Every structure is written in structure tokens, then in C-alpha cells.
Amino acid sequence: MKLDTIVEGVPLDIKTTIGNNWMVPPEAVGEHLFLVKTNVEGRLFSAGLFHAVPEHLNKGVNRDGKATINKNGKRAIEWIYEAVDF
């Protein structure tokens, strides 16, 4: 399995961040991602779904070939929980 898990028959890659962006590996481009964001200082948690299509990713990649989500992509995240206190 090239992604992390399968939910209801849909392959998903799970990505987490403590910052403001996620690293998307080449094998996840075109796939659905489950995004998790935590802010420990502010005790906030967010989780959402994202389709990692090329137009939602920045052109530049790191040496591992990972891209980040661009401004339009961030607007395309479908938040399940956003900035919930934990």
C-alpha cells in the first residue's frame, strides 16, 4: 500500500504539522489526504480532508521531492474540526 490507510475504500495519506503547512510526497500527489494540525501552545487542533491535485501544490519541492500546499490549496481543505481546544 503506497498510502497510510484506506477508509471506506478510499486510500488516504495522513499528514501532520505543528506549523502552517504540510509536506506532500510525490506518491500522494493526486490522492486524498487527511490533514492534522496542532498548536500545543494555544492548545488547538484541526483536522480536514484535502485532494492533493497539482494545482493545489507549490511548484518547488525539497530534496525528497515533497511539495507544500499553496494558497488556493489551503482554501480547498475541507475542515472537519478547525481550531478546536484540546
Side-chain angles (χ1 to χ4, degrees):
M1 179 165 50
K2 76 176 187 175
L3 301 181
D4 293 321
T5 191
I6 298 174
V7 176
E8 295 285 326
V10 178
L12 286 175
D13 210 30
I14 300 169
K15 297 294 163 210
T16 63
T17 187
I18 58 171
N20 291 316
N21 216 328
W22 298 263
M23 299 303 294
V24 179
E27 66 269 17
V29 175
E31 303 291 348
H32 295 281
L33 309 183
F34 180 74
L35 303 177
V36 177
K37 179 178 176 178
T38 55
N39 176 322
V40 177
E41 295 83 19
R43 296 181 44 91
L44 299 175
F45 165 86
S46 300
L49 296 170
F50 175 72
H51 190 200
V53 292
E55 58 268 22
H56 287 160
L57 302 174
N58 288 312
K59 300 271 187 243
V61 296
N62 70 8
R63 65 181 170 186
D64 295 331
K66 294 179 181 176
T68 54
I69 299 172
N70 65 27
K71 193 182 301 186
N72 288 332
K74 288 181 181 178
R75 286 194 287 266
I77 298 169
E78 294 194 32
W79 294 109
I80 299 166
Y81 298 103
E82 191 170 10
V84 175
D85 185 24
F86 64 89

